[in-house]
Every structure is written in C-alpha cells, then in structure tokens.
C-alpha cells in the first residue's frame, strides 16, 4: 500500500513539474525576453541549488545513484523554476501602467482544435471543432510572436497592416504583452458608394409596387 502511494506521489510530482514547464512556455511566448535569458536564469538557479538539494530527489527516483538524482534535479527542478520565473514576471493589479507600440502584422493563420466531452471514467468523444485565429507580430526586439485574437479582429486585418500592441512592465523587468488592438478598417469612398448603390438596388427590387 505504501509503495503504491509513493509511486502515485512521484507521478504527481513529475506531472506537476511538466505542467509548470508548459505554463512557463505559454507565458514566455507573451513575454519580451530573449531565449538566452529565459534559459540561463532558471538554469543558474538550479545549478546553484544542486549541491544543496539534489540528494532530496532520492524519494522521487528511489535510487542512490548520484547522476540520476542530479539529472532529475535539473529536469524537474528546471521546469518548476522556469514556470515560477515566468509566472512571477506577470504584472498583477489594475493600476499597473501600460504603454502601446505599433507594429506590422507579418502573418496570419487559423488552427483547428477539438472540443471533447467526457462520456465515461476514461473515455472522451469529439463534439466538434473550433477555429483559433492567430496573428504574428514583431516588436522592438525583432522576435516574431504569435498572438491569438478574436475572429472579428482577425477578419479586420491583413498581412502588412499596422496594429497596436499593449504592453506592461513585468515584475522582473521583462515586458509582457497584454493584448493586440486591431483598428477598425475604414471604408474608402468607392467602397462606401458601392455599398450604398447595392443597398438601393436591393430596396428597389423587393419593394416595387404590385401592378394589378
């Protein structure tokens, strides 16, 4: 019974570390930080802590092998530190100052993802698909980043158009992308005249008096 409990705890710890790493990655895509800093800062923390706590991972690896415990420390500990670092940089509070930066849409694309519904203890069925809308923009660090937007904003913008990115300074000094503002596309005179003429023809076609 105790061995099963320990195995369950080890699996939970491993999944927790991986989950933290995945969360950190998604936050990283919205943070203006170089890949070098995103890797070196958590790696430095894990390296400094290695001589002090690498033996503690024995209860996860169930082994006295020094190399195995060190590898576990760097992999799982690195994921946890990376996720905590990215989460800690997110500015919290409604009074956090923001600023805007204009940039150009480099690319736009859509992706499909499944909607599932649980039908049993371990079974899921697909109930449909949803479309996700993405824009690629590059800010002053020249790194292209994918931003998910609503369908209305996606349809209003084209590749090469200028959009406004709202940024805020993170708690560790790295700027964080809050949202992308897409301006409403103004109709030019020709398009406006064509729409008025089309509407007038539609009214005439369906509202003519009936001849007896």
């Amino acid at each position: 019974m105790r061995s099963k409990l320990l195995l369950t705890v080890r699996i939970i710890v491993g999944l927790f570390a991986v989950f933290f790493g995945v969360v950190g990655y998604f936050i990283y895509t919205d943070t203006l930080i170089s890949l070098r800093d995103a890797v070196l800062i958590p790696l430095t923390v894990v390296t400094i802590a290695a001589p002090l706590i690498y033996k503690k991972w024995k209860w996860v690896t169930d082994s006295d092998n020094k190399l195995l415990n060190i590898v576990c420390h760097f992999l799982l500990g690195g994921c946890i530190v990376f996720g905590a670092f990215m989460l800690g940089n997110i500015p919290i509070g409604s009074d956090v100052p923001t600023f805007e930066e204009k940039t150009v849409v480099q690319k736009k694309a859509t992706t499909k993802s499944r909607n599932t519904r649980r039908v049993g203890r371990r079974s899921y069925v697909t109930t449909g698909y949803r479309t996700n809308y993405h824009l690629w923009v590059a800010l002053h660090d020249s790194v292209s980043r994918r931003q998910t937007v609503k369908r209305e904003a996606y349809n209003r913008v084209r590749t090469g158009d200028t959009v406004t990115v709202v940024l805020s300074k993170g708690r560790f000094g790295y700027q964080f992308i809050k949202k992308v503002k897409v301006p409403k596309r103004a109709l030019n005179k020709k398009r406006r005249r064509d729409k008025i003429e089309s509407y007038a023809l539609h009214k005439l076609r369906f509202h003519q008096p009936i001849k007896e």
Side-chain angles (χ1 to χ4, degrees):
M1 181 67 182
R2 184 182 177 184
S3 61
K4 290 184 179 180
L5 180 61
L6 286 174
L7 178 61
T8 302
V9 173
R10 289 164 183 160
I11 294 174
I12 291 174
V13 171
L15 292 176
F16 175 78
V18 173
F19 172 77
F20 239 60
V22 172
V23 170
Y25 171 76
F26 281 108
I27 299 174
Y28 162 76
T29 60
D30 289 334
T31 305
L32 271 64
I33 180 175
S34 64
L35 179 61
R36 181 193 62 185
D37 289 352
V39 173
L40 284 182
I41 292 176
L43 183 61
T44 301
V45 174
V46 174
T47 303
I48 294 173
L52 302 175
I53 63 173
Y54 82 90
K55 293 181 180 179
K56 303 289 185 180
W57 293 98
K58 176 183 176 180
W59 69 274
V60 175
T61 61
D62 193 25
S63 173
D64 291 322
N65 189 300
K66 182 178 179 180
L67 179 60
L68 180 60
N69 290 328
I70 290 177
V71 170
C72 181
H73 170 74
F74 274 90
L75 289 179
L76 300 185
C79 288
I80 294 173
V81 174
F82 172 70
F85 173 64
M86 290 289 105
L87 279 170
N89 183 68
I90 296 178
I92 299 176
S94 57
D95 57 341
V96 176
T98 60
F99 56 96
E100 298 180 349
E101 181 177 335
K102 292 188 180 297
T103 185
V104 175
V105 176
Q106 297 180 325
K107 187 175 70 170
K108 54 183 294 189
T110 60
T111 57
K112 295 283 187 180
S113 56
R114 292 191 305 171
N115 293 326
T116 59
R117 178 171 56 87
R118 189 173 181 176
V119 295
R121 190 172 181 180
R122 297 181 181 178
S123 300
Y124 293 86
V125 295
T126 301
T127 58
Y129 293 87
R130 67 177 181 272
T131 305
N132 304 308
Y133 303 89
H134 311 289
L135 302 177
W136 275 260
V137 296
L139 300 173
H140 57 264
D141 61 351
S142 301
V143 178
S144 181
R145 287 178 170 82
R146 187 183 72 173
Q147 296 295 308
T148 302
V149 297
K150 295 181 179 180
R151 183 181 64 179
E152 294 79 8
Y154 180 87
N155 291 333
R156 288 204 307 265
V157 74
R158 300 190 183 104
T159 302
D161 285 355
T162 300
V163 296
T164 302
V165 180
V166 180
L167 302 162
S168 62
K169 188 175 182 179
R171 288 187 289 181
F172 296 149
Y174 296 99
Q175 296 171 359
F176 182 76
I177 300 175
K178 296 184 73 71
K179 63 179 178 179
V180 177
K181 294 167 61 177
V182 177
K184 292 183 178 179
R185 183 176 295 278
L187 293 174
N188 56 36
K189 292 182 179 180
K190 184 177 183 303
R191 289 178 62 195
R192 189 181 295 111
R193 184 172 63 251
D194 291 344
K195 288 196 71 172
I196 294 174
E197 291 177 355
S198 176
Y199 178 75
L201 289 174
H202 174 79
K203 296 286 287 185
L204 288 173
R205 183 180 301 172
F206 292 98
H207 294 84
Q208 289 180 352
I210 299 175
K211 295 181 180 180
E212 295 183 358

